């Protein structure tokens, strides 16, 4: 009997290069992500936005270093799920993957919604939810055709986005060097007026949203064709590039900002448009339109990579029998876990389109999007300690003990500073995960 194209289990194609991995990570993050929340961070940090991103990059670097170590020890698809399972067993592994899955469901929903809103701003006659729906359908088709096609398409969009962002930054630096600026040149690091460490740390809890997505590279552990350390190098390079771009964006915006942090605090409705106002009034409306266009396409691509990452996480869990075996099947031609992609896309579609039809849908999603990933990052750091220090008796204490302990402390601080609503949702989601784990155990017995 001839084998069905959908009958192969556990075989993903190794066809991603090092730069494919970096491209997917940068698209997932969004090189211009700092622009969207500049006004929020400016208000929270009293103008010290560049310092916020310096600290946020340092915190995320700790997480990246732990990812590198676990990617070397456990080169498997599934990311946090595979790492926590190796360190603490199947139950903790599943719950860690379950918490990351919350993030991987919400991130593409937010990205698709951003895309729908951006396209709606360009063509107001068509509702945002229709653009959102179309973005999901088009990118779903690309995801099903294979991860290599996703990487090629993403590379084109990434280059376009970097060109527009580079023009904005070059123009901004030129204005800083040749014109009188609204703020002092060091104010993005020192703040406007008084400097508050507490305000700075509080702003970091929001700034980490810009970085969420670099970890998605780890979900493609079984699909790259490089050496064992390729995945870890891609994660670090992606984080360094993103951190540099975010610091530079916030520096330019912090010097050229047209209003004071206090003004943004008293007019929160202007925070989301703060950077666009700088580009429109201080640079060129054409650049602003070009940025809106590449961010619209870029958000769809980010969502596409997020869905691909979530499907690999579902695939990894299903391969161990925790989810249906059908979710671990791959297409013979493309090597894609099609049913896992469809299931991830369906959940994202429902959430994104529903949010697009509600006035405050974006606010609700953004307030929830970081809590799942942060919870999983905490388990990642613990996994490094368990695998290297306890199991393998490593004497590299800085890399395998000091870094993950510092990472745990920084992540715990950010979780504590997160909104109470997001903490509640995380607990409810964790409760569903515990219930599912208990249900699976009952079935086996």
């Amino acid at each position: 009997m001839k084998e069905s194209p959908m009958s192969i289990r556990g075989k993903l194609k190794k066809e991603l290069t090092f730069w494919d991995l970096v491209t997917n990570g940068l698209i997932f993050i969004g090189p211009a992500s700092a622009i969207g929340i500049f006004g929020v961070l400016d208000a929270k940090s009293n103008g010290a936005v560049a310092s916020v991103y310096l600290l946020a990059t340092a915190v995320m670097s700790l997480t990246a270093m732990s990812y590198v170590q676990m990617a070397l020890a456990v080169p498997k698809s599934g990311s946090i799920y595979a790492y926590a399972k190796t360190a603490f067993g199947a139950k903790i592994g599943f719950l860690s993957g379950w918490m990351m899955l919350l993030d991987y469901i919400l991130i593409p929903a937010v990205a698709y919604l951003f895309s729908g809103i951006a396209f709606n701003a360009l063509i107001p006659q068509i509702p945002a939810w229709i653009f959102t729906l179309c973005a999901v359908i088009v990118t779903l088709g690309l995801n099903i055709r294979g991860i290599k096609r996703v990487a090629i398409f993403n590379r084109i969009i990434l280059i376009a986005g970097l060109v527009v962002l580079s023009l904005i930054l070059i123009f901004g630096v030129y204005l800083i060097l040749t014109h009188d600026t609204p703020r002092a040149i060091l104010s993005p690091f020192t703040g406007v007026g008084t400097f508050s460490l507490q305000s700075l740390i509080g702003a970091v809890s929001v700034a980490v949203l810009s970085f969420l997505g670099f970890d998605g590279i780890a979900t493609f552990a079984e699909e790259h064709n490089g050496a064992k350390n390729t995945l870890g190098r891609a994660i670090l390079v992606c984080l360094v590039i993103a951190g540099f771009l975010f610091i530079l964006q916030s520096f330019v915006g912090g010097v050229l900002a047209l209003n004071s942090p206090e003004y943004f605090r008293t007019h929160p409705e202007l925070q989301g448009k703060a950077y666009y106002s700088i580009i429109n009034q201080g640079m060129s409306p054409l650049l602003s339109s070009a940025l809106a266009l590449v961010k619209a396409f870029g958000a769809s691509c980010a969502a596409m990579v997020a869905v691909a990452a979530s499907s690999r996480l579902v695939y990894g869990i299903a391969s161990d029998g925790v989810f249906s075996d059908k979710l671990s099947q791959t297409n013979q031609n493309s090597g894609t876990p099609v049913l896992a992609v469809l299931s991830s896309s369906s959940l994202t579609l429902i959430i994104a389109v529903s949010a697009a039809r509600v006035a405050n849908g974006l606010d609700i999603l953004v307030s929830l999007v970081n809590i799942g990933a942060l919870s999983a990052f905490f388990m990642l750091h613990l996994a490094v300690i368990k695998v290297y220090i306890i199991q393998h008796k490593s004497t590299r204490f800085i890399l395998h003990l000091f870094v993950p302990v510092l990472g745990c402390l920084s992540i715990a601080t950010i979780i504590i500073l997160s909104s109470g609503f997001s903490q509640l949702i995380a607990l409810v989601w964790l409760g569903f995960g515990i219930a599912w784990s208990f249900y699976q155990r009952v079935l086996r017995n």
Side-chain angles (χ1 to χ4, degrees):
M1 182 177 177
K2 188 177 180 180
E3 187 177 45
S4 168
M6 191 67 74
S7 64
I8 297 177
R9 182 175 184 269
K11 293 184 179 180
L12 297 170
K13 285 190 175 182
K14 291 183 176 294
E15 54 185 359
L16 294 179
T17 66
F18 169 80
W19 287 110
D20 286 336
L21 293 172
V22 173
T23 298
N24 282 348
L26 288 175
I27 281 288
F28 200 156
I29 292 174
S33 294
I35 287 177
I37 59 173
F38 169 80
V40 176
L41 297 180
D42 192 65
K44 283 183 174 292
S45 67
N46 202 36
V49 192
S51 290
V52 170
Y53 274 110
L54 275 173
L55 186 55
T57 302
V59 170
M60 288 294 100
S61 294
L62 297 173
T63 299
M65 292 170 69
S66 287
Y67 260 113
V68 170
Q69 297 309 305
M70 290 309 298
L72 288 171
V74 189
K76 294 181 179 179
S77 182
S79 183
I80 292 289
Y81 165 72
Y83 306 156
K85 179 188 173 186
T86 299
F88 303 108
K91 294 178 184 177
I92 299 299
F94 168 70
L95 291 178
S96 299
W98 180 258
M99 294 307 295
M100 181 57 82
L101 189 59
L102 172 63
D103 192 56
Y104 282 176
I105 290 172
L106 292 175
I107 280 182
V110 171
Y112 279 129
L113 185 52
F114 268 131
S115 185
I117 292 172
F119 279 120
N120 172 254
L122 295 171
I123 310 176
Q125 295 82 1
I126 300 178
W129 72 267
I130 292 181
F131 282 119
T132 301
L133 176 63
C134 291
V136 174
I137 293 172
V138 171
T139 54
L140 172 61
L142 287 169
N143 258 327
I144 289 176
R145 296 192 67 182
I147 193 62
K148 186 63 179 178
R149 293 182 183 275
V150 169
I152 293 172
F153 187 77
N154 282 343
R155 190 173 296 178
I156 296 171
I157 298 300
L158 178 62
I159 291 172
L162 288 175
V163 168
V164 173
L165 180 59
S166 297
L167 290 174
I168 291 171
L169 294 177
I170 291 171
F171 205 156
V173 171
Y174 169 77
L175 290 176
I176 291 172
L177 294 176
T178 59
H179 292 70
D180 292 332
T181 56
R183 298 185 190 176
I185 195 166
L186 292 180
S187 62
F189 296 99
T190 61
V192 177
T194 57
F195 178 84
S196 169
L197 182 60
Q198 183 177 359
S199 298
L200 184 71
I201 296 173
V204 170
S205 67
V206 177
V208 294
L209 288 172
S210 301
F211 290 93
L212 295 184
F214 80 93
D215 53 289
I217 294 174
T219 63
F220 304 114
E222 296 179 40
E223 295 171 86
H224 72 84
N225 54 19
K228 192 175 182 180
N229 66 345
T230 297
L231 195 76
R233 289 192 300 115
I235 290 172
L236 286 175
V237 168
C238 178
L239 185 68
V240 168
I241 293 174
F244 172 76
L245 290 174
F246 292 160
I247 293 168
L248 186 54
Q249 287 168 55
S250 57
F251 168 75
V252 170
V255 177
L256 297 178
L258 303 175
N259 301 109
S260 67
E262 177 61 31
Y263 186 83
F264 286 132
R265 282 194 290 272
T266 55
H267 296 82
E269 72 279 3
L270 300 179
Q271 292 177 3
K273 303 174 183 178
Y275 213 107
Y276 289 95
S277 297
I278 296 171
I279 299 171
N280 261 321
Q281 299 179 36
M283 300 183 191
S284 166
L286 183 61
L287 273 180
S288 181
S289 298
L291 177 65
L293 188 61
V294 296
K295 282 183 72 67
F297 280 105
S300 293
C301 291
M304 178 168 59
V305 176
V307 168
S310 66
S311 69
R312 270 57 176 182
L313 179 57
V314 170
Y315 161 88
I317 297 174
S319 294
D320 290 334
V322 183
F323 291 155
S324 170
D325 285 344
K326 293 181 179 179
L327 293 171
S328 66
Q329 294 176 349
T330 59
N331 183 275
Q332 185 175 2
N333 297 320
S334 65
T336 304
V338 176
L339 292 179
V341 170
L342 287 172
S343 64
S344 299
S345 295
S346 297
L347 285 172
T348 297
L349 174 64
I350 293 170
I351 295 171
V353 173
S354 298
R357 295 177 66 85
V358 178
N360 62 340
L362 181 60
D363 291 339
I364 294 173
L365 284 184
V366 169
S367 68
L368 300 177
V369 78
N370 67 338
I371 196 71
L374 292 174
S375 302
F377 291 165
F378 187 86
M379 294 306 301
L380 166 72
H381 291 301
L382 292 182
V384 173
I385 297 172
K386 177 68 182 298
V387 169
Y388 282 95
I389 298 295
I390 298 176
Q391 293 180 357
H392 298 313
K393 311 300 181 185
S394 171
T395 57
R396 301 176 68 184
F397 295 114
I398 292 180
L399 196 57
H400 297 149
L401 184 60
F402 177 74
V403 167
V405 166
L406 192 58
C408 281
L409 293 174
S410 61
I411 294 297
T413 301
I414 295 172
I415 291 176
I416 291 170
L417 291 173
S418 298
S419 70
F421 182 54
S422 64
Q423 293 170 356
L424 176 62
I425 292 298
L427 288 174
V428 171
W429 182 258
L430 178 62
F432 280 123
I434 293 172
W436 180 263
S437 181
F438 179 75
Y439 171 72
Q440 288 293 310
R441 191 161 66 248
V442 170
L443 285 182
R444 290 192 181 96
N445 295 334

